[in-house]
Each structure stands twice: as C-alpha cells, then as structure tokens.
Amino acid sequence: MKKVMVGNHAVAWGVRLARVEVISAYPITPQTQVVEKLSEMCADGTLPARFIKVESEHSAMAAVIGASATGVRAFTASSSHGLLYMHEMLHWAGGARLPIVMVDVNRAVGAPWNIWTDQNDSLSQRDTGWVQLYCETNQEVVDTTIMAFKLAETLDVPVMLMLDGFYLSHTAEPVDVPDQEMVDRFLPKRAASYKLDVESPHAFGALVKPDAYMEMRFLQQEALQQVPQTLAAIEKDWQRMFGRSYGALEAYRADDAELLLVTSGTVTSTARAVVDARRAAGERVGLLKMKMFRPFPTALLRDALRGVPRVAVLDRNISPGHGGIFAEELRSALYDIPDAERPELFGFVLGLGGRDITPAVIDEVIEKTRAGVVPSREDLWVGVNP
Amino acid sequence: MPKHTTTSGGAARVPEHITTTNGARHVPQVAMSSMSTLATRTGSWKYQYPAYHDRVAPCNAGCPVGIDIEGYMNLLREGRVDEARDLLLAENPLPAVTGRVCHHPCENQCNRRALDEAVAIHAVERAMGDLAHQRPAPVFRSALRPERVAVVGSGPAGLACAYHLARFGYGVTVYEAAPAPGGMLRLGIPEYRLPRDVLDRDIARVAAHGAEIKCGVRIGRDISWDDLHRTFDAIFVAVGAHASRALGVPGEDLPGVRPGLAFLREVNLGGRPDLGRHVVVVGGGNTAMDCARSAMRLGARVTVVYRRTRDEMPAIREEVEDAMREGAEFVFLANPLAFTSAAGRVDAIVCERMALGEPDASGRRRPMPTGERFTVYADTVLSAIGESTALDGFYPDVQGSASGLEVDALGGTSRDLLYAGGDVTDLERTVADALGAGKRAALGIDRHLRKHHGDTHELNALRFGEGNLSAARWLRRDPIRRTDPINQVVGVDDLNFTQYQRVRRHADPHLPSGSAVTGFDEVNAGLTASEAMDEAKRCLNCGVCTECDVCLIFCPDAAITHAEGGAYVIALDYCKGCGICAAECPRGAITMTQDRP
Amino acid sequence: MSQLRINELIPEGRLLASGHLACPGCAAPLAMKLALNALGANTIVVMPACCYTIIAGPWPQSSLQVPVFHTAFATGPAVASGIRAALDTQGKFDTTVLVWVGDGGTFDIGLQSLSGAAERNENILYVCYDNEAYMNTGIQRSSATPWGAWTTTTPAQFPEASNKKDILAIMAAHNIPYAATATPAYPVDFIAKVNKAKAMRGTRFIHLLSPCPPGWKCGDDEGLELARMAVQSRVFPMVEVEDGQHWRVTMEHAGDPVEPYLRRQGRFRHLSGEQVTHIQREITARWESLQRRAQAEPLVPAGAM
C-alpha cells in the first residue's frame, strides 16, 4: 500500500505496524506530529497500545523503561532539549539492557533557541548505550522503525532512530507501507528473556559492587559490537520479504572514487544528486552514507574507505572545541590503516541549526577537498560568514 | 510457656548467578537478583542480644500467700480453667475465703494501675474458689511420710500448714479449741463477709487432703504441750490472737462496754445480743468495721470513734466504704478518755479531739492531743483497738511467748521442732499473711524432717521476687514452664502500654445498703464466672510471654519467627540487636543482654 | 480484651527476607514488611534512589520476595506508570504496583513525576517513607525536614529554617482517590490504610513517618516510641483523605505536649525553650486547621444513619 506521508507520520506507521504495546511521550517541536498521529491511532483503535501522556521527557523515558522492563514493546519519541532531558534515563535504559526503540527528530540545541535540524542532540547521547541509526527517507523511517525493534529485542539493547527535523519530519514522500501480516511474521510479539513477573520475582538494577559492574559493562559492549552483523541479518530478512534494505553503511557510486563524501541523514539525498552530476562529468566522486553511528561501524568503514585518496565528511553537528563528530570518530577508525592506504580526511562542519546544505554547498566541499593537500584544520567550516 | 530459642550458624545459601560468560566469573548481562539476602549475616553487626526471660509479676511478689496470680490469670486467658484452679490451689487452700476477705496487697502492686485500674484479683480468686467447690480439684499428695505433725489452731495459718504438710505426705492432726474449725475466719469475720458454707467447703478441702481436725481440744489445757511433743514429730502453733486489747481508760469495766472480738464471736456463733439503740465502736481496723457493721445488722445506730483520720485506718478500704455506705457514722481524730455511766451502765464516752503530728514507726501520722473534749452517747461500746495472744501452759522459754512468737524465715521458733505462724507470731496479722506463714512452716518442717539442708539460694529460687515461697516449686510440680526466668519483679517502666486498651475494672456488685443491714446475707455478691474470666483477661501478664506476636510483628529484621508449639525463634544471624522487640514487648518479657545466649 | 491482639489484624507473610541492610532500628523495613504482607505476592515494587536502594540488598541478592525495579531518583511514579500500562496490556489488572520512595524522592526531586502520575490518576500505590532528611547520603536536609532540626546541611547554629512541606495536602489537591498518613509504629492503622488503598483503583498515596535512629539521633529501640509521640503530640497526625475532599482523622490524638518528643532526639537538642514554644504553636495551628478540614466531613456516629 503506497501512501504519501511526512516523516513524523512514517514514524507513527512504523510504530503501529510493530504493534507497540506501550507508548509514553511528551510533545516537542518538531516531533509533535509523531505523538499526535500516535494519539489518533490509539484513539481510533488502529493501534491498541497504552499511551502514557507524561509531564516530561524524563518521565517519558522512565515510563517506557518501566513498560519494557515488564516485558512489552515500548516506544517514545523526542527531540533536542527533550532528548537531553531524558539523558539520565537513556543511560538507565542502556544499562538495564531494555529493548526500547525511540525516535529523535534531530533538532539543534539552545541556547539560543533554534527549532531547526542538526545532530547535536542525538550525538551528545552517543555514550548512553543506545544504537543510533540515521535515516534518509520516509520509507527508510518506516522500515527502520520496525527493524529497530527486531534489532533491539535480539540483542537486548535500546535503539534510537534519527530523522532530520523538518527536512524529513515535515516533508511528505510516497511510502510503501508494509503489509501488517508480513510485518507480524517478521516481528512477532516480544518474548522477553527476563522481566518483572510476580511468578518469578527478581530485583533489577540493585547495587552492583566493583567486582561485577565492569563485567556488566563489558557484556553491554559485547552486545553492541554484535549490532552490525545482527542488523545485516535482519535487513537480509527484510529485503527478502519487502524488497528493500539499507545497510549500516551504503556506498553510492563509490567504486574507484578519488573522493568520497561521507554523509548521514537527508543531506545524503542532496549529495547523491551532486555525485550523479560529477560522475556525469566524468569525475571520480562517490558517496558513503553512514546510517549507523552507534555502535561505530569501524570495520565496515575501514573496508569501505581503505585506499580512497580523499574523504570529505559532512558533519551537521559540532563538538565545540573539537570538531565534527562523525569526522573525529572516522579519523580514529582509520588510524590503524597503513599510511599508504589511509585516506586524507577532510572534516566539514555545515548546516547547523537548520541552515540549508544545497548542492552548491556540497560542491564547495568537493572543491575544498580537492584543493588542499592536507586539511588546513580539523574543522573546516562551510558557509560561515564571520 | 513454651521454650523460646535462638538460631545461628546455619548453612548459607550459596549464590548461583544467572550465567553469562566473562572468563571464570559468571555475571549476567543485567543486575537481576538470583537469591535473597539470607546470605548476608547482618547479625554480626550487633553488640547486644535479645533474650526471652520470663520475669516476676508484682502481684506475685506482693502476695503474702505466695500465689502465682499471673500464672493462673494467664491460664484463664487461654481458657484453661481447671489448670488455673489447680495452680491457685497449689499455693492457697482457701481461695473462696481469701477471694472474699483478703486485703489483696496484690492489687496495690498491680502495674495496671498505671494504665487504668488494678485487676480485681480478689474477685477472680473468689470466682475460682467458688468454682473449685463445684468442680473440686483432684487431691494431691506426695509419697507418704512416716512422720506426724500436730497443728495447734485451725485458723488460716493452721489450715494452710496442715494442707501443705498433707500434700507433702505427712500425717497431720489439727487441734481446735473452738467447737468448729476456722479460727478467726469463723469467730471474727461476720457471715455477711464470709458465708459459713463457703468457709466450710474450703476447710473441707484441707480435710480431704488427709488432715484430721479435732475441735473442742485446747492444747495446754486438755493436752499438755509436752504430751503433744512426745506424740508428734513436729508442732505448728497457730492459735491466733483472740484477746482484745484493753483501752486502759476509766469505766472500761462498766456493763455495756465490751471487747469487740467477744461480741463478734457471739454473733458469729449465732448469738443476737441486744445492744441498745446507739453503739459506739472504738478503733479503725477490720475488727472495728466488723463490729460496726454487725451492730447495725442488730438494729443499732453506730458511731465509729477513731483517733486518726480515714487515711490512716488500717481496715481494708472496701470495708470502710461498706460501713459508711451502710450508715455508720465516723468520728475521726477522737481518743476515748473515759466512759460515763447512768443506772450502772455505760451511757457515754468522753473523747479528746486529736490532731495529726509527725509520722510514727508505722509511717502513719501520729495523733496528738489537743485538749479539746467532747462526749459521744452510747448504749453499748465495742472496743476494737487491737488483739493480743493468749497461750495456755506454753513454754515460757520460747522467744516472744508473752507478746508474739518470734519465728525464722521458715516459721521455726527458738525451740526445736516447734514452729509457729499466724496472729500468734509477731508478724503481720492478716489472713493472707497467716496462710503464707502456714505454708512457710510446712516447708520448714518438711525440710527439717527430711534432713534437707538447702541454702538461702535454694529458698530464694522458690520465691516470687522477694515474696513468699511457692509450694509448687518446692514440690517441683510448678506447671508453668518459664523461659529462662529471672527472679526480678517487673515494674511499670518495663512495660509498653501501646498495645493495651483501657478496660474498666469489674466492680463488685453489692447488695443495696438498705437491705444489706437488715440481715447477715453476703453483701458482696461477687462476679459471675464469665465476668471473672473477663476480668482475668485484664491481666497484663507482666514479665511473662503470652505469645502475642508483638515482638515478631515489630522486628524490622524479620528475625523472629514462630517455632513449633507457639514459641519464638530469634535468628541471631540476622538480628541486629536494635532492641525494638524488648522495647515493644507489652510485658517486659524480653531482655537485652551483652552476653551471647 | 485488654491487649489489642494486633496479630489477628496484621497479615502474616514472608515477603521480606532477613539480611537486608537497614541500620539497626530503622523503621523502613518494618514498614516494608507490613506493607508487603498486606499486599501479598502479586505486587511489583518500584524503588527510586533512597535508603531502600541499599537496604533491599546488593545484587545478586534481594530482600524483597516480589519483583523490584530499581530506578533513578526522580522516576518512581513514571516507571510505575509504565509498569502499570504494561501489566494492563497483559491483562494483569490485579497486580499492585507499589512505589516505595523516601522523602527526598517524594518531596523534592520526584515531586514532578509524582504530580504527573497523580494528575493522570495512575493506578499505583505510592508509599513515601519519610525519615525527614536525606539519610542515605548522610543526613542532609530535605523539604521534609521539620523546622528547627539539625542536619549536616543545617548545623545547630543555623538549623532548618523552613517548615516541613505539607505533602499530604499537595497530594490531596490532586483529588486522587486516597491519600493518608501512617506510621509503622501503629501497624494496625497502617495495615488498614494499605488494605483500603489496595481495594481502590487510581493513585493512592500513603505518607509514612519512618523514624531513623542515626538521623534523629535517638536510641535504636526508641524510633517507634518517638513515632507514636509524634502522632500523639499531633506533630504527625493520622489522617486520610478520599477523593481530595473527605478528610478524616483516623485515630484519637492525645494532644501531648511536643517538648518530650523533641527533647528525646539529638537533632532537636539545641532548641531553646522559645523555639519549642514556637513549634508547639505551629502544631496547634496546624491541628486546628486540620480539625476544620476534617469537620467538613464529620464522621457519622455509628447507628446514626
């Protein structure tokens, strides 16, 4: 069934198809359409879930933690300050190994106030033990929402799914809505391996002394390290049933590329057009889309970038005092590649607070990457008018 | 009571973690519990230990007879009426009597007074005594002994001594000078306080235990003391104090001036003398009250003249109240100086007004003359200012034979194998003290004849606190099993009243005073059996665990549990020694100690 | 019967295991034992940061023989809301979700979450065991600390200068079905309130006075007696409120003077006579205010209707 819908509604459709049982959320621009659509679905019975309309994001995350700990499928969505307000509980969900799925509609963080997109909200949550997946299209949002539950419940890790505020959240695209029966086959009802159950009473999350805390963190790391191959297997099933897949990384026209753009989110679509134009002009320019940021897909990235002469990373985020976050982490990942095969990496900071990343901006990125033998600084700002 | 125990040092449950692998250690991916906290021996934190120690209720310690009052109250609470009766009768042969006439110092000691009112112990005892008439206890006697003991006097001391000696296995003969046994119980106490059938039934119990009672025999006159000594292995002297003390004022020998005791004896043996219209009773003790009330029953108007005030009256409070209710007038602070006469018979008593001065040896304020005089008119004067002893042909060398026999802790006089008790000795002259003295002497005689040489420590183990000796304990037949008892009286501060509700004491139902004075029917009707059972449940059971579960309920460490048979187990592995059990125990039956149990 | 046989009114149970880590004389595990015995095994406990985080026992142990979810400080009611929702979707309507929180987690950091849950009338039972300061971290003042009290952050020279927050009135103002005060020192009253709350649906709130010997600076065995003194002196009256409207005083209060209660605790030892008088006046005023509220819904005498 094809439907035209905005990204936020694509989230709601994914949640509905995944047969989520408990939702708890608090409204925030530009996520609000998610909670509105889900409220409608719960109200009209198309989604028979309990929706707890809490008084804060902190409580929203706490409520889905409680629900997930009781063995049901739970979902929340937020954005920007809302996500930051959840921070403490994001850690709790990660440490408690609860397979919660949430959507973050990427939005810049104040001060000053800004409601438009960038990735600083979600990237500042990168150490909370959540898988982070960045989506490019509304189709990918629907599909990934459903797959995220499968991934989360397979490994007992929470998954956060990102879509760019307004560029995706409020942009209508045709979406092939997966068939519910097929989704049910793909994603059966959650069978928790442990849960709050009066028939089998256990305490969860009590004080763990130094003699075991580290082991639990190690096991959390082990589980997260399994995410790339687990997601690959899940996508294989999805591909088989629905004819679509995305990958933790997607290489676009990257064969024999002299220059590879590395992107995430909606800027990928713009970059695809630029790449097509450059290829048409005979230039060896390609694209690597990073969907997965956590766990950081180091091995996949090394394979994809080994021997590529120049790499331009487009970061719609900034770690103040350091640089673009994707670029910084990529530099670390590529450090172990022998000098001869290690690409020269150019890290660009651009598009903050919702500033447009037009084809012209990406052209500027390409030109600057070509021009320098080595980057003049780690953070190359594009489109800044100082 | 069941034996409480403690536990410690059992095998800990070894944790079995849910396993996910990390080298040799097994740690799960989430912090999910797999065991209780029982593996954590928090008991090691403590520096003090709780222990169940039954202690002594103040009523028991305060009872001159040495009755385990708390014990039988506890049995009654549990509905074990026959066992309660037997426990009472193990110490007191005459409960129907004492339930009526005892001055019940037990009630003065009752800790319940700090909450509302003392338990009406006398009323419960009376009901138990009456019940024992309807449903007698089985006669108990130890293995029979070859020795025989003579008991001289069949008042409460003599009856108690005879009763206990019989239970100890001895042959006993009681000699009574009067035509019927009972001593002062029969001759001194009026029927409206102690009906004769009640007295007869209690005395019958003593006889039923094998004591032979010979009435109309006065030792020293009909049989010499020496003959008695030759015939018997030991003698217990309890002839009482039947002589009224003289007032020592002019006109005392006038017709119409009578010793109160003689008057009571006449009335109690059935006489109904004509006293005239107005009777003056001199004195403030029980004999005075008995005289006053008996005189009113003979139609007289009565005025009691007493040299101190109501507060200093030695009579039982209830007796004074009854006398007042029945219409006796009281003239306090009045000391007789002389009797005047008309037509050869007393017609008035001249008194001096007194004032209270400093306390005397008895602790009561001494009456001091004021010089003011006044006259009270009287057709008959009954003097009741005290009694004295009169022993016929007795050994003059026995210490105290002239005033009051001196006895040791077990009733022994200065003469070998001659014991004494009751009003003939220099001890307190009450029915209860007489019963207690008779028991002590029986125990002393038993020890002596069996050549048992126990020490003071052994004797103290028979006592309730510093109170009287327990015959049941002496016989090693105390049916109450105590938990690690400490012979220490429980005071109000040892109790926790939180769990107790205020419950009104059952008042004794009295005949209306208007009809009471028309005859000698019993004035105090006593409680019904069910009222008495209710009253027994007012007992706080001071110092004795009743398995009320308060300790178990309040233990924050869940370290107290029920054991088999209703007792408690304290898990010392987990008890942190906080002392809440001891603090919350309603009755002071838990003690915190520094020593590991 | 002279002694109230409280064992006949208090359910037995073995849902609290020995070996928990409460300080000697702490009333919180007693309260937990009583509550769990009344609620039974069909109960899930949510435990935000509080003394009980430690008391319950370190992993892999648990002193509670029912499921427990430990969670962050401010989140008790929200986590409970999620558990409730999950249970309801599973058809487990009869399982009680019990939030067990200290005063800091209730009066201070958790108040927003609690207010949210109460406003939504979440079907949970919330018990605040109030020991009147942050005891777990070493006796720092909270908004439940009474005026004049010493804590490590309100030293005796400058003792607590604010009145204790009236949490019961705050909760009653949410018009929840049930809000009550209680103390484990009066277990029959406490159990009656737990049973009453258990039989209701919606947000039920019980505010427990829970003595803390180290924090109150009293003897290990004195806490319960002090709690009773707090009640009898009307420092902490026993009250219940139904639907936010119907106020009822649930036992007789002797109206004893407050001074003996204060003088037996080291945390109040520095108080001057004037300060004690001030506290007494405050108590009297609050009691009169409570009387006016309670009179709005007088108890119907037995047999009157």
Side-chain angles (χ1 to χ4, degrees):
Chain A
M1 177 182 58
K2 288 258 186 189
K3 286 176 80 82
V4 174
M5 61 178 78
V6 297
N8 279 335
H9 289 176
V11 172
W13 270 96
V15 169
R16 169 175 161 176
L17 289 165
R19 296 195 187 279
V20 164
E21 291 157 291
V22 173
I23 300 161
S24 182
Y26 185 83
I28 182 168
T29 303
Q31 156 265 35
T32 36
Q33 290 167 320
V34 177
V35 296
E36 288 168 357
K37 192 69 184 171
L38 287 171
S39 297
E40 272 176 41
M41 289 172 168
C42 289
D44 66 18
T46 51
L47 174 56
R50 281 284 308 274
F51 193 153
I52 311 168
K53 286 143 195 171
V54 286
E55 81 297 336
S56 74
E57 288 89 353
H58 196 269
S59 285
M61 183 47 62
V64 291
I65 284 171
S68 186
T70 314
V72 304
R73 193 165 285 158
F75 175 83
T76 186
S78 192
S79 195
S80 186
H81 289 265
L83 183 69
L84 305 192
Y85 195 29
M86 286 181 178
H87 178 73
E88 179 191 27
M89 300 317 289
L90 292 175
H91 274 285
W92 204 273
R97 305 291 301 277
L98 295 171
I100 298 163
V101 170
M102 76 165 293
V103 159
D104 175 53
V105 182
N106 278 126
R107 170 185 149 182
V109 174
W113 284 120
N114 178 291
I115 59 167
W116 296 275
T117 198
D118 77 29
Q119 299 168 326
N120 255 71
D121 57 351
S122 56
L123 287 173
S124 66
Q125 307 307 315
R126 64 187 178 181
D127 299 332
T128 55
W130 286 62
V131 174
Q132 290 201 351
L133 303 173
Y134 291 80
C135 293
E136 182 188 352
T137 65
N138 291 348
Q139 185 68 58
E140 189 178 4
V141 168
V142 174
D143 294 352
T144 307
T145 303
I146 298 164
M147 285 191 280
F149 281 107
K150 184 120 181 172
L151 176 64
E153 291 167 16
T154 303
L155 295 173
D156 291 323
V157 292
V159 177
M160 188 183 297
L161 184 150
M162 266 59 65
L163 58 154
D164 287 337
F166 300 108
Y167 289 119
L168 205 53
S169 65
H170 288 65
T171 303
E173 293 180 340
V175 170
D176 186 0
V177 179
D179 175 67
Q180 179 73 65
E181 279 185 26
M182 287 173 71
V183 172
D184 289 345
R185 278 210 302 285
F186 174 80
L187 180 69
K189 193 175 174 66
R190 180 182 166 202
S193 46
Y194 42 80
K195 62 178 178 178
L196 293 167
D197 181 2
V198 295
E199 301 298 328
S200 174
H202 297 283
F204 293 88
L207 188 76
V208 175
K209 296 174 193 167
D211 66 353
Y213 182 87
M214 204 160 153
E215 276 73 14
M216 290 179 190
R217 282 290 167 268
F218 178 79
L219 292 170
Q220 182 183 17
Q221 171 76 350
E222 292 276 274
L224 284 161
Q225 297 289 21
Q226 291 176 48
V227 167
Q229 58 267 40
T230 306
L231 179 61
I234 289 168
E235 285 216 316
K236 206 169 159 186
D237 284 347
W238 188 261
Q239 166 76 33
R240 187 169 45 77
M241 293 177 76
F242 300 98
R244 294 181 295 274
S245 70
Y246 305 92
L249 302 178
E250 181 199 343
Y252 179 72
R253 304 188 77 169
D255 293 345
D256 72 3
E258 289 176 342
L259 191 155
L260 211 53
L261 299 169
V262 177
T263 60
S264 59
T266 51
V267 72
T268 307
S269 298
T270 314
R272 284 182 204 273
V274 173
V275 166
D276 288 346
R278 295 282 178 155
R279 283 286 181 179
E283 295 175 27
R284 287 159 66 186
V285 175
L287 171 68
L288 184 68
K289 168 187 167 185
M290 280 186 70
K291 175 171 185 166
M292 181 182 293
F293 179 77
R294 276 289 180 272
F296 201 72
T298 303
L300 295 174
L301 283 165
R302 283 178 186 160
D303 286 349
L305 298 178
R306 186 186 299 266
V308 176
R310 293 189 182 207
V311 169
V313 182
L314 281 65
D315 266 307
R316 197 168 215 159
N317 60 77
I318 175 71
S319 173
H322 197 192
I325 294 167
F326 279 76
E328 298 306 338
E329 297 219 358
L330 257 171
R331 280 195 189 93
S332 295
L334 300 178
Y335 184 80
D336 283 345
I337 294 178
D339 287 357
E341 296 182 299
R342 190 192 302 125
E344 203 62 60
L345 192 145
F346 293 75
F348 295 93
V349 175
L350 68 182
L352 300 184
R355 180 167 301 188
D356 267 354
I357 303 174
T358 61
V361 171
I362 296 174
D363 282 337
E364 188 184 342
V365 165
I366 291 170
E367 296 316 317
K368 281 192 170 172
T369 305
R370 278 184 173 155
V373 180
V374 291
S376 59
R377 50 188 280 171
E378 290 197 346
D379 51 324
L380 299 165
W381 290 66
V382 180
V384 181
N385 305 304
Chain B
M1 293 298 113
K3 176 81 174 166
H4 305 292
T5 53
T6 56
T7 64
S8 65
R13 278 202 280 154
V14 177
E16 189 178 326
H17 301 178
I18 299 162
T19 57
T20 304
T21 167
N22 175 23
R25 278 193 59 85
H26 295 295
V27 176
Q29 68 177 29
V30 293
M32 174 167 130
S33 68
S34 53
M35 58 191 296
S36 80
T37 43
L38 290 176
T40 305
R41 304 294 179 84
T42 47
S44 64
W45 301 2
K46 68 177 154 303
Y47 62 91
Q48 56 174 359
Y49 299 84
Y52 292 92
H53 288 294
D54 282 350
R55 292 194 277 166
V56 179
C59 51
N60 286 9
C63 174
V65 185
I67 301 171
D68 187 355
I69 298 164
E70 184 283 325
Y72 77 71
M73 292 287 182
N74 213 341
L75 291 167
L76 289 178
R77 181 182 57 81
E78 294 182 354
R80 295 155 68 182
V81 178
D82 287 350
E83 291 165 79
R85 172 201 65 195
D86 295 351
L87 182 62
L88 172 58
L89 290 172
E91 308 296 347
N92 179 9
L94 312 174
V97 170
T98 47
R100 286 169 168 81
V101 304
C102 181
H103 66 302
H104 48 71
C106 51
E107 295 185 21
N108 298 337
Q109 303 295 319
C110 180
N111 280 331
R112 186 152 192 132
R113 300 197 317 162
L115 177 65
D116 43 32
E117 298 169 278
V119 175
I121 298 170
H122 73 281
V124 178
E125 184 184 40
R126 170 177 166 163
M128 295 298 297
D130 289 354
L131 178 127
H133 293 160
Q134 296 155 23
R135 209 159 72 220
V139 168
F140 166 79
R141 295 192 77 180
S142 294
L144 293 183
R145 304 277 317 172
E147 298 92 342
R148 296 176 60 232
V149 182
V151 171
V152 184
S154 69
L159 289 170
C161 188
Y163 173 78
H164 289 294
L165 283 170
R167 285 166 70 93
F168 296 166
Y170 294 93
V172 184
T173 303
V174 182
Y175 293 99
E176 170 57 51
M184 203 59 95
L185 299 174
R186 186 178 300 277
L187 303 176
I189 297 178
E191 278 192 75
Y192 62 83
R193 284 176 62 200
L194 178 59
R196 292 302 173 254
D197 58 332
V198 172
L199 175 63
D200 290 343
R201 287 192 202 119
D202 266 5
I203 293 174
R205 175 178 302 111
V206 179
H209 278 74
E212 184 188 7
I213 302 177
K214 291 188 172 172
C215 293
V217 182
R218 180 179 289 269
I219 303 301
R221 185 189 69 192
D222 302 329
I223 301 174
S224 76
W225 291 97
D226 281 336
D227 282 347
L228 206 62
H229 251 313
R230 277 189 288 276
T231 317
F232 290 92
D233 296 284
I235 298 173
F236 178 64
V237 183
V239 300
H242 292 268
S244 286
R245 281 226 309 267
L247 284 164
V249 298
E252 191 170 1
D253 51 355
L254 282 168
V257 180
R258 297 189 63 183
L261 274 182
F263 163 71
L264 287 174
R265 182 187 179 104
E266 180 184 353
V267 175
N268 289 337
L269 290 175
R272 296 291 180 261
D274 179 7
L275 303 172
R277 287 177 57 196
H278 193 186
V279 172
V280 170
V281 176
V282 180
N286 287 321
T287 302
M289 294 306 104
D290 289 342
C291 287
R293 296 176 68 192
S294 294
M296 284 188 281
R297 280 162 173 75
L298 297 176
R301 204 159 61 87
V302 173
T303 300
V304 178
V305 170
Y306 178 54
R307 59 190 184 138
R308 307 195 215 212
T309 71
R310 184 174 176 179
D311 290 342
E312 289 80 32
M313 287 179 73
I316 302 172
R317 187 174 49 83
E318 289 94 325
E319 296 302 315
V320 181
E321 286 168 2
D322 284 348
M324 288 181 167
R325 188 162 41 228
E326 289 168 3
E329 286 177 40
F330 283 72
V331 178
F332 293 112
L333 294 168
N335 191 36
L337 294 177
F339 298 102
T340 58
S341 60
R345 186 180 166 87
V346 71
D347 73 337
I349 173 168
V350 179
C351 297
E352 178 170 13
R353 180 73 66 197
M354 309 298 277
L356 289 181
E358 295 303 306
D360 63 12
S362 72
R364 298 177 298 165
R365 293 177 69 189
R366 189 194 306 273
M368 308 294 286
T370 64
E372 178 193 343
R373 295 183 180 201
F374 60 96
T375 301
V376 181
Y377 293 94
D379 296 317
T380 301
V381 174
L382 301 172
S383 75
I385 61 161
E387 295 79 35
S388 59
T389 60
L391 280 160
D392 296 325
F394 195 63
Y395 305 107
D397 58 329
V398 173
Q399 287 184 7
S401 57
S403 49
L405 295 175
E406 294 173 25
V407 291
D408 63 21
L410 293 177
T413 66
S414 58
R415 187 184 176 95
D416 205 24
L417 288 167
L418 183 70
Y419 289 77
D423 290 357
V424 74
T425 66
D426 59 356
L427 301 177
E428 286 288 312
R429 284 178 175 167
T430 74
V431 174
D433 283 285
L435 285 163
K439 179 164 71 176
R440 282 199 299 279
L443 219 142
I445 291 166
D446 190 28
R447 269 162 60 109
H448 191 117
L449 294 179
R450 291 199 293 118
K451 297 183 171 53
H452 177 93
H453 302 294
D455 55 12
T456 316
H457 184 75
E458 186 203 17
L459 276 186
N460 285 343
L462 304 179
R463 296 185 194 281
F464 298 103
E466 294 178 0
N468 202 13
L469 306 167
S470 161
R473 290 183 186 177
W474 172 246
L475 288 169
R476 298 178 192 284
R477 279 175 54 85
D478 187 354
I480 306 296
R481 205 168 86 201
R482 288 174 171 81
T483 300
D484 302 329
I486 299 177
N487 197 15
Q488 188 183 68
V489 178
V490 171
V492 170
D493 291 344
D494 298 318
L495 306 182
N496 187 326
F497 286 118
T498 307
Q499 307 304 334
Y500 293 119
Q501 297 165 305
R502 289 194 172 81
V503 178
R504 280 199 74 83
R505 168 184 163 116
H506 286 84
D508 289 322
H510 281 64
L511 288 184
S513 52
S515 57
V517 292
T518 62
F520 283 82
D521 289 346
E522 188 170 23
V523 171
N524 179 350
L527 302 185
T528 65
S530 75
E531 286 169 341
M533 294 306 121
D534 281 350
E535 186 63 22
K537 288 173 187 167
R538 291 182 70 239
C539 175
L540 304 177
N541 303 110
C542 299
V544 178
C545 176
T546 61
E547 294 153 42
C548 70
D549 291 352
V550 164
C551 53
L552 181 151
I553 288 166
F554 280 100
C555 174
D557 288 295
I560 302 177
T561 51
H562 286 293
E564 295 292 315
Y568 299 109
V569 188
I570 299 177
L572 291 179
D573 283 342
Y574 305 108
C575 163
K576 294 170 187 157
C578 67
I580 282 180
C581 52
E584 295 298 317
C585 176
R587 46 187 55 81
I590 303 178
T591 305
M592 298 305 292
T593 72
Q594 303 291 318
D595 311 314
R596 192 180 174 89
Chain C
M1 184 65 75
S2 162
Q3 183 177 353
L4 184 67
R5 303 304 293 203
I6 61 173
N7 54 350
E8 291 163 11
L9 301 168
I10 291 173
E12 285 196 53
R14 302 289 298 157
L15 294 173
L16 180 81
S18 302
H20 61 71
L21 300 183
C23 301
C26 173
L30 169 58
M32 177 65 89
K33 182 174 79 168
L34 294 168
L36 286 183
N37 288 353
L39 294 172
N42 193 6
T43 302
I44 293 176
V45 178
V46 180
M47 201 167 278
C50 57
C51 286
Y52 230 98
T53 305
I54 301 302
I55 296 173
W59 173 85
Q61 301 178 1
S62 176
S63 58
L64 280 67
Q65 307 303 293
V66 295
V68 179
F69 193 80
H70 291 272
T71 185
F73 217 159
T75 62
V79 167
S81 303
I83 292 172
R84 173 82 272 158
L87 291 170
D88 289 352
T89 63
Q90 294 166 351
K92 296 173 181 172
F93 301 106
D94 293 336
T95 301
T96 300
V97 179
L98 169 67
V99 193
W100 192 265
V101 203
D103 48 295
T106 301
F107 287 63
D108 291 340
I109 194 169
L111 185 59
Q112 171 181 311
S113 176
L114 174 57
S115 176
E119 168 273 320
R120 298 190 302 275
N121 198 21
E122 293 284 353
N123 185 22
I124 57 175
L125 172 57
Y126 188 104
V127 175
C128 168
Y129 67 101
D130 176 6
N131 48 33
E132 303 199 313
Y134 290 92
M135 298 307 185
N136 198 22
T137 44
I139 321 171
Q140 294 82 30
R141 65 86 63 183
S142 75
S143 60
T145 302
W147 186 91
W150 164 91
T151 69
T152 56
T153 52
T154 50
Q157 301 92 314
F158 300 101
E160 174 59 40
S162 304
N163 283 330
K164 185 183 178 87
K165 191 183 280 185
D166 189 352
I167 195 73
L168 188 75
I170 291 171
M171 294 312 296
H174 288 74
N175 294 330
I176 53 176
Y178 192 68
T181 57
T183 168
Y186 286 117
V188 174
D189 178 77
F190 177 37
I191 291 289
K193 286 166 177 169
V194 171
N195 284 336
K196 190 167 182 174
K198 186 189 178 187
M200 293 178 171
R201 289 283 163 119
T203 303
R204 295 142 288 163
F205 175 85
I206 298 179
H207 178 201
L208 284 179
L209 184 64
S210 183
C212 167
W216 291 15
K217 304 234 170 289
C218 65
D220 291 349
D221 60 350
E222 288 184 296
L224 298 180
E225 177 65 16
L226 283 168
R228 287 190 289 265
M229 290 171 84
V231 172
Q232 292 305 325
S233 62
R234 300 165 175 169
V235 171
F236 195 90
M238 294 290 97
V239 178
E240 63 178 19
V241 191
E242 288 182 51
D243 298 322
Q245 307 300 319
H246 311 298
W247 289 69
R248 188 173 298 134
V249 177
T250 62
M251 64 169 67
E252 280 185 39
H253 294 62
D256 298 334
V258 72
E259 183 152 11
Y261 169 70
L262 300 173
R263 295 292 179 214
R264 270 179 69 173
Q265 301 175 67
R267 62 174 176 155
F268 293 118
R269 199 151 289 150
H270 53 276
L271 291 178
S272 68
E274 273 182 19
Q275 287 171 314
V276 170
T277 306
H278 169 76
I279 291 172
Q280 184 66 66
R281 274 200 304 270
E282 289 284 315
I283 291 167
T284 304
R286 283 202 301 275
W287 177 257
E288 285 168 1
S289 161
L290 174 63
Q291 291 299 300
R292 287 192 292 276
R293 270 174 169 155
Q295 279 163 11
E297 178 63 17
L299 274 175
V300 176
M305 289 181 73

